[in-house]
Amino acid sequence: MAVFVLVHGSWHDGSAWDAVVRHLESKGHKVFAPTVAGHGKGAPRNVTHADCTRSLVEFITGNSLSDIILVGHSFGGTLISKAAEAIPGSIRRLVYQNAFVLRDGLSLLDEIPPEYVALFSQLAKQSGDNTVLPPFPVWREAFINDGDLGLAKAAYARLSPEPFQPFADKLDMKKFYSLEIPRSFLNCTEDIALPPGEWGWHPRMSGRLGLCRLVQMAGSHEVMFTNPQGLAEKILEAGRD
Amino acid sequence: MAVFVLVHGSWHDGSAWDAVVRHLESKGHKVFAPTVAGHGKGAPRNVTHADCTRSLVEFITGNSLSDIILVGHSFGGTLISKAAEAIPGSIRRLVYQNAFVLRDGLSLLDEIPPEYVALFSQLAKQSGDNTVLPPFPVWREAFINDGDLGLAKAAYARLSPEPFQPFADKLDMKKFYSLEIPRSFLNCTEDIALPPGEWGWHPRMSGRLGLCRLVQMAGSHEVMFTNPQGLAEKILEAGRD
Amino acid sequence: MAVFVLVHGSWHDGSAWDAVVRHLESKGHKVFAPTVAGHGKGAPRNVTHADCTRSLVEFITGNSLSDIILVGHSFGGTLISKAAEAIPGSIRRLVYQNAFVLRDGLSLLDEIPPEYVALFSQLAKQSGDNTVLPPFPVWREAFINDGDLGLAKAAYARLSPEPFQPFADKLDMKKFYSLEIPRSFLNCTEDIALPPGEWGWHPRMSGRLGLCRLVQMAGSHEVMFTNPQGLAEKILEAGRD
C-alpha cells in the first residue's frame, strides 16, 4: 500500500480532500492532506510562496514520511514542484491534477489569462488584506460546472480568501527541471478554470513535465467535491508505479 | 420544473428533437421545439436570417413563454443569439449545443472552412432555389459518425434543403455581446461537422461566450438521433442554474 | 459479416492483436493479423518500408482477400496507405488507429518530435543492427499509461526491436491522396505516444484524410493490451459502412 500526500489549491484547505481521503484509505492506503500556510479559515494571510512550500515540506519531514506520492491540485502544483526540489529523496512520484507547472522564473500570474490577472489584482486591492476570492458566478460556471447549484453553494461556503502574494512570487524552477522523479498529469476533461486552448491546463502544463503519464477523467476543476470516488480511483491510476 | 425551447439547426425541423422532448417531458419539464421559418418539408425557402429569428421570437412571445432555457443546435446558435437580443428578459439561460457563436458583423459562411463554403455555394447554385443539402457521404461520415448505416439513412430522409441566404447574411452582434444572460456550451466530443482544430466548435465557439459553463458528452453532431436520452440529460446539466 | 485485416505498428507483431481478434471473431467476423516483414521475434531486420508494404500486400493477395476493412495501428498507418495504393480495389474501408498518415514525400521521422528523432537515431546507432526499442520508462509512461505495471512489463516482453530504415524512408503518397476509399480515424483519448498538441495524433493525422469518420475511445496507444474488447467494439464502429 502507498503513502499519499494531497496538496490543495487556492481557496481550499486540507479538508477539501476529505471524501477523497476516505476512498483512498478504504483501499488500504495511508493518506495525508495538510493545510498549507496562509490557508484555511482564520489563518493569517501574510504569507509568501516560500512560506507555503516550507509548511508543506515541514509537514512531510515532521511526520517522517518517505516514498510518498505527492499530489498537487491547481495552485498546489507550484508547491509540490518546489517541495520536490527540497526533498527529492522522499518522493516516489509527483501527480499534477489540473495543476500549475511554472516555467523557470515566472509566477502563477504570468501563466493565467489577462482577464484573470486583472480580476484577481482588482479583488486583492479591494480586499484590504491582499487576498482574493472568486465571485460566485465564476466559481459556479468555470470551477464547479459539473455540480448542481446546491453543491456549488455548499462548496463555495467552504472556501476562504487566498493570499495574493504567492500568486505574484516568481519562482526559480531550475532544480525542479533537472529532477528525474516520475510524474503524472491527471486531467479532468471539463476543467475550464483555465480556459481551454491557448491558456488551458492540458497540454500546456502537462507538456512541460517531459516524460509524464497522462490520466484523464470526466469532471470539472472541483471534481474532489463532485466525484470524489472517481477522483480517488484516478489518483491511484496516476500514482501507481 | 423548467421551460425549454429547443431550436434546431440547418436541414432539420422541430421534429428532430422529438425523442429529446419526450425524455425532458418525462422528467416533468415543459418543452417546445418550434420549426424555424424556411425549414421543414414543404416550407417556402426564400427567407433571410432575420426571418428565421423573427419566427423564433414570435413563437416565444406568441406562446407567452418566459424564464426559458433557450437551446440552439448548430445553425440554431445564431438564432438564439439574435433572439436573446430581441427578448433578453424572457430567457433564463442560453445553451449552445455545438452551435455557432458568430463574431460581430460576420456570417455563418465566414466561420466555416473554405472547402465547406465552396461545397455549399456550388450546391446552392445547382439547386435552382438557392438551397443546400449535404451529400449523403458527408452526412454519414462527418455528421452522424456515431450512428449505424440504417440510422444514418433514416435520419437523412428526414432532412430538407436549407435556405442558403441565412448562411450568407452578416449579423450585427453588438447587443448580444453586451448581454449578461447566463450561458452554457454543450460539446459533443466526436462532433466533426466542423473539423476539429483551427475550425472546430470547441474552444473556438465556446471561447467567445465569456463566462460560460462547459458540459461535454460523447457523440456526433447528430446525437439528437443517436443518443437522445443522453442528450436530454446533458441539456438538463447545461440548463440548470 | 466483414473481413478485417489488422496491421500492427512498430515493435509489435501480429500476435499483439490476439485478444482483439478473438473478440471480433466471436461476433462472426473473419479476421487476419499478419506479421509484417522485418517484425516479430527472430525475423531478419534488414528491411525497407517497401519490403514491409510488399509483405502486407502479398498476404492480402495470397489469401485472396477482398472487400476488406484494413486497420493500421501507429506505424501500420503508413503501411495500409501504401497497400491501398497497390490494391485499392480490395479494400472496403481504411481504419487508422492512432496511426501515421504521412504527407507526400516525407518519412515517419519527419513527422515525430525532434526529441524522438534524436532518441531513435541514437538507439539505432548503438544497436549494432540499425534497430530501435523504446526504453522501458518511455514505454510505461507514454505508451501504456493506462495499464498497471504488471501488464506494462508483460507487454514490453512481447516487443522486439524495430528496423530503423522504414522510419527513414521517404514515401511517395501522391496516389494515396487521389484515392476515394472510405476511411475512419480511431483516436484513443489518452494516447500520448505522440505528445498532445502540435505533434499529436488528432487532429494532425486525422485532418489529412479528408472526409473521414472520427471514432474515439478512452485509452492509451496500447489499448490492444489494456482494453482489447473495447477496442474491438470501436473497430467495428469505425469499420462499418
Side-chain angles (χ1 to χ4, degrees):
Chain A
M1 296 294 98
V3 180
F4 288 89
V5 177
L6 310 180
V7 183
H8 63 81
S10 300
W11 307 296
H12 295 66
D13 56 49
S15 73
W17 296 104
D18 280 357
V20 177
V21 170
R22 278 197 300 276
H23 286 292
L24 290 172
E25 287 179 342
S26 75
K27 303 276 185 182
H29 301 287
K30 212 169 159 181
V31 191
F32 301 88
T35 293
V36 172
H39 293 73
K41 306 239 181 216
R45 254 53 191 168
N46 56 336
V47 294
T48 63
H49 194 281
D51 294 330
C52 296
T53 299
R54 191 178 308 115
S55 74
L56 172 59
V57 170
E58 286 175 357
F59 178 88
I60 294 168
T61 57
N63 285 277
S64 304
L65 303 181
S66 62
D67 208 28
I68 62 175
I69 299 162
L70 186 57
V71 180
H73 176 235
S74 196
F75 168 70
T78 70
L79 301 175
I80 67 171
S81 299
K82 291 301 289 182
E85 291 187 339
I87 48 168
S90 303
I91 301 166
R92 188 177 189 88
R93 181 176 288 264
L94 296 163
V95 176
Y96 294 82
Q97 183 205 335
N98 291 90
F100 287 94
V101 181
L102 298 187
R103 287 170 290 177
D104 180 47
L106 299 191
S107 70
L108 185 144
L109 289 178
D110 294 326
E111 300 277 21
I112 62 175
E115 59 270 25
Y116 269 150
V117 176
L119 173 67
F120 292 160
S121 301
Q122 183 194 17
L123 291 170
K125 262 181 209 155
Q126 292 169 347
S127 67
D129 63 352
N130 203 32
T131 63
V132 296
L133 189 67
F136 181 74
V138 172
W139 170 258
R140 199 275 162 279
E141 304 292 9
F143 281 73
I144 194 163
N145 38 311
D146 60 343
D148 66 21
L149 184 60
L151 181 56
K153 286 180 174 169
Y156 191 72
R158 298 175 62 168
L159 303 182
S160 55
E162 177 75 8
F164 187 64
Q165 185 59 44
F167 283 8
D169 288 334
K170 293 185 186 280
L171 304 186
D172 183 331
M173 298 286 285
K174 284 183 205 68
K175 184 172 175 190
F176 171 74
Y177 282 110
S178 75
L179 296 174
E180 298 194 346
I181 302 169
R183 69 279 315 260
S184 301
F185 197 91
L186 199 173
N187 183 53
C188 290
T189 53
E190 283 75 40
D191 187 334
I192 54 171
L194 287 180
E198 180 190 359
W199 289 100
W201 296 108
H202 174 70
R204 187 168 66 115
M205 295 295 163
S206 52
R208 297 173 182 171
L209 290 169
L211 183 60
C212 171
R213 184 188 307 166
L214 175 69
V215 174
Q216 294 195 117
M217 64 181 289
S220 73
H221 198 59
E222 302 300 328
V223 71
M224 57 195 18
F225 297 127
T226 58
N227 183 12
Q229 180 168 359
L231 177 57
E233 286 164 7
K234 287 296 178 176
I235 286 176
L236 290 174
E237 199 177 320
R240 66 189 174 188
D241 282 348
Chain B
M1 296 293 98
V3 180
F4 288 89
V5 177
L6 311 179
V7 183
H8 62 81
S10 299
W11 306 297
H12 295 65
D13 56 49
S15 73
W17 296 104
D18 280 356
V20 177
V21 170
R22 277 197 300 276
H23 286 293
L24 290 172
E25 287 179 342
S26 76
K27 303 276 186 183
H29 300 288
K30 211 168 159 183
V31 191
F32 300 87
T35 292
V36 171
H39 293 73
K41 305 239 182 215
R45 254 53 192 167
N46 55 336
V47 294
T48 64
H49 194 281
D51 294 330
C52 296
T53 298
R54 192 176 308 115
S55 73
L56 173 59
V57 171
E58 287 175 357
F59 179 87
I60 294 169
T61 56
N63 285 278
S64 304
L65 304 181
S66 63
D67 208 28
I68 62 175
I69 299 162
L70 186 56
V71 180
H73 176 236
S74 198
F75 168 70
T78 69
L79 301 175
I80 66 171
S81 299
K82 291 301 289 180
E85 291 187 339
I87 48 168
S90 303
I91 301 168
R92 187 178 190 87
R93 182 176 286 265
L94 295 164
V95 176
Y96 293 81
Q97 183 206 336
N98 290 90
F100 287 95
V101 181
L102 297 187
R103 287 170 291 176
D104 180 48
L106 299 192
S107 70
L108 185 144
L109 289 178
D110 294 326
E111 301 277 20
I112 62 176
E115 59 270 25
Y116 269 150
V117 176
L119 173 66
F120 291 160
S121 302
Q122 184 193 16
L123 291 170
K125 262 181 210 155
Q126 292 171 348
S127 67
D129 62 353
N130 203 31
T131 63
V132 296
L133 189 67
F136 182 75
V138 173
W139 169 259
R140 199 273 162 279
E141 304 293 9
F143 282 72
I144 194 163
N145 38 310
D146 60 343
D148 67 21
L149 184 60
L151 181 55
K153 285 180 175 169
Y156 191 71
R158 298 175 61 169
L159 303 181
S160 55
E162 177 74 10
F164 187 64
Q165 184 59 43
F167 283 7
D169 288 334
K170 294 185 186 282
L171 304 187
D172 183 331
M173 298 286 286
K174 284 183 204 69
K175 182 171 178 191
F176 172 74
Y177 282 111
S178 75
L179 296 174
E180 297 194 346
I181 302 169
R183 69 278 315 261
S184 301
F185 197 91
L186 199 174
N187 183 53
C188 289
T189 54
E190 283 74 39
D191 187 333
I192 54 172
L194 287 180
E198 180 190 0
W199 289 99
W201 296 108
H202 173 70
R204 186 168 66 114
M205 294 296 163
S206 52
R208 297 173 182 172
L209 290 170
L211 183 60
C212 170
R213 184 187 306 166
L214 175 69
V215 173
Q216 294 195 113
M217 65 181 289
S220 72
H221 198 60
E222 301 300 327
V223 72
M224 59 196 13
F225 297 126
T226 59
N227 183 11
Q229 181 168 359
L231 177 56
E233 286 163 8
K234 287 296 178 176
I235 286 175
L236 289 174
E237 199 177 320
R240 66 188 173 188
D241 283 348
Chain C
M1 298 293 99
V3 180
F4 289 89
V5 177
L6 310 179
V7 182
H8 63 80
S10 299
W11 307 297
H12 294 66
D13 57 48
S15 73
W17 296 104
D18 280 356
V20 176
V21 170
R22 277 196 301 275
H23 286 292
L24 290 172
E25 287 179 342
S26 75
K27 304 276 185 181
H29 302 287
K30 211 168 160 184
V31 191
F32 301 87
T35 293
V36 172
H39 293 73
K41 306 238 182 216
R45 254 52 191 169
N46 55 335
V47 294
T48 63
H49 194 281
D51 294 330
C52 295
T53 298
R54 191 177 308 115
S55 73
L56 172 59
V57 171
E58 286 175 355
F59 179 87
I60 294 169
T61 55
N63 285 278
S64 304
L65 304 180
S66 63
D67 208 27
I68 62 175
I69 299 163
L70 186 57
V71 180
H73 176 236
S74 196
F75 168 70
T78 69
L79 301 175
I80 66 171
S81 299
K82 291 300 290 180
E85 292 187 339
I87 48 169
S90 303
I91 303 168
R92 186 176 190 89
R93 182 176 288 265
L94 295 163
V95 176
Y96 293 81
Q97 183 206 337
N98 290 90
F100 287 94
V101 181
L102 299 186
R103 287 169 291 176
D104 180 47
L106 299 191
S107 70
L108 185 144
L109 289 178
D110 294 325
E111 301 277 20
I112 63 176
E115 59 269 25
Y116 269 150
V117 176
L119 173 66
F120 291 160
S121 301
Q122 183 193 18
L123 291 170
K125 263 180 207 155
Q126 292 170 348
S127 68
D129 63 351
N130 203 31
T131 63
V132 296
L133 189 66
F136 182 74
V138 173
W139 169 258
R140 199 273 162 280
E141 305 292 8
F143 282 73
I144 194 163
N145 38 311
D146 60 343
D148 66 21
L149 184 59
L151 181 55
K153 285 180 175 169
Y156 191 72
R158 298 175 62 169
L159 302 182
S160 55
E162 177 74 9
F164 187 64
Q165 185 59 43
F167 284 7
D169 288 335
K170 292 183 187 283
L171 304 187
D172 183 329
M173 298 286 286
K174 282 181 206 70
K175 183 173 176 190
F176 172 74
Y177 282 111
S178 74
L179 296 174
E180 298 194 344
I181 301 169
R183 70 276 316 261
S184 301
F185 197 91
L186 199 172
N187 183 53
C188 289
T189 54
E190 283 74 39
D191 187 334
I192 55 171
L194 286 180
E198 180 191 359
W199 289 99
W201 295 108
H202 173 70
R204 187 168 65 116
M205 294 296 163
S206 52
R208 297 172 182 172
L209 290 170
L211 182 61
C212 171
R213 183 188 308 167
L214 175 69
V215 173
Q216 293 195 116
M217 65 180 288
S220 73
H221 198 61
E222 301 299 329
V223 72
M224 59 196 14
F225 297 126
T226 59
N227 183 12
Q229 181 168 359
L231 177 57
E233 286 162 8
K234 287 296 179 177
I235 286 176
L236 289 174
E237 198 177 319
R240 65 190 174 187
D241 282 349

